[in-house]
C-alpha cells in the first residue's frame, strides 16, 4: 500500500488536526485555564474571553457543561499555531460588534437582548467561524460525550457488536 497517497481518511484527519478541534475537552474552571490561552499568539483580553464564553454557551446551551468547557474549546482553537491569530481577530470582531449593538456591556443585557445582538451579527464570517469552532469542540469533546452517555469511539473497546449495540435505553420502547 502506498503510504504517501492522500486518502479521504488522511485528508479528514489532517483537516481536523489543523482546525484545533481534535483532542479531548478537559473541564477546568472558567479562569483556571491552561497557559495556552494566555500565551497564545492571538491573545484576547478577559472581557473578550468572558463575552465569547457567554456567546458559545448561548450558541450551544447545555446546562450540564460548565463555562470551563466552553472556555477550553475557545482556548484550543486559539492555541493552534496555524489558526490562532486569525481566530483571535474573529473573537475581537465579534466582541466589538456585540458591544456596539448593546451600547456598552453585552454581558449586562438580559438573555433576550443578548440573543438579539447575536442574531444581528449571525451573517458575518467571524460569527460563522466562532460557531463552527465551538460546535466542533463541544460535540467532539469527552465532556459532552459523558453528558449524553456516549462512551467514545468503539475502536478503544473492540467495536460495538458486543459492547453496547443493543443498549439504547434512552429511546422509548414503542418506536
Amino acid at each position: 500500500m502506498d503510504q504517501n497517497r492522500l486518502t479521504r481518511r488522511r485528508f479528514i484527519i489532517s483537516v481536523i488536526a489543523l482546525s484545533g478541534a481534535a483532542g479531548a475537552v478537559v473541564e477546568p474552571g472558567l479562569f483556571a485555564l491552561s497557559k495556552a490561552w494566555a500565551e497564545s499568539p492571538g491573545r484576547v483580553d478577559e472581557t473578550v474571553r468572558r463575552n465569547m464564553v457567554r456567546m458559545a454557551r448561548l450558541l450551544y446551551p447545555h446546562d450540564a457543561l460548565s463555562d470551563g468547557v466552553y472556555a477550553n474549546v475557545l482556548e484550543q482553537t486559539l492555541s493552534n499555531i496555524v489558526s490562532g491569530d486569525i481566530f483571535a481577530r474573529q473573537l475581537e470582531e465579534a466582541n466589538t460588534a456585540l458591544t456596539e449593538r448593546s451600547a456598552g456591556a453585552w454581558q449586562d443585557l438580559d438573555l433576550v437582548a443578548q440573543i438579539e445582538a447575536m442574531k444581528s451579527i449571525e451573517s458575518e464570517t467571524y460569527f460563522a467561524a466562532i460557531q463552527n469552532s465551538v460546535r466542533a469542540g463541544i460535540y467532539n469533546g469527552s465532556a459532552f460525550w459523558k453528558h449524553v452517555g456516549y462512551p467514545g469511539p468503539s475502536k478503544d473497546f473492540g467495536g460495538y457488536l458486543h459492547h453496547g449495540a443493543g443498549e439504547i435505553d434512552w429511546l422509548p420502547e414503542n418506536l
Side-chain angles (χ1 to χ4, degrees), residues 146-175:
K146 288 176 189 170
H147 170 58
V148 297
Y150 174 61
S154 66
K155 179 182 176 186
D156 295 343
F157 51 87
Y160 288 121
L161 182 59
H162 301 292
H163 294 91
E167 299 173 7
I168 302 175
D169 58 354
W170 48 270
L171 283 176
E173 292 290 327
N174 57 358
L175 279 181

Side-chain angles (χ1 to χ4, degrees), residues 101-140:
R101 281 157 179 80
S102 63
W106 177 72
Q107 275 284 354
D108 295 338
L109 297 177
D110 64 358
L111 177 64
V112 174
Q114 286 178 343
I115 292 172
E116 285 301 316
M118 286 173 52
K119 283 182 180 180
S120 72
I121 64 169
E122 69 184 348
S123 63
E124 302 294 336
T125 55
Y126 55 81
F127 184 89
I130 295 167
Q131 185 177 31
N132 291 335
S133 176
V134 172
R135 179 179 41 244
I138 292 292
Y139 298 124
N140 289 335

Side-chain angles (χ1 to χ4, degrees), residues 80-103:
N80 187 300
I81 295 170
V82 175
S83 61
D85 287 336
I86 295 167
F87 192 65
R89 280 192 297 266
Q90 291 167 334
L91 293 176
E92 294 279 352
E93 288 175 18
N95 184 64
T96 300
L98 290 173
T99 302
E100 287 172 358
R101 281 157 179 80
S102 63

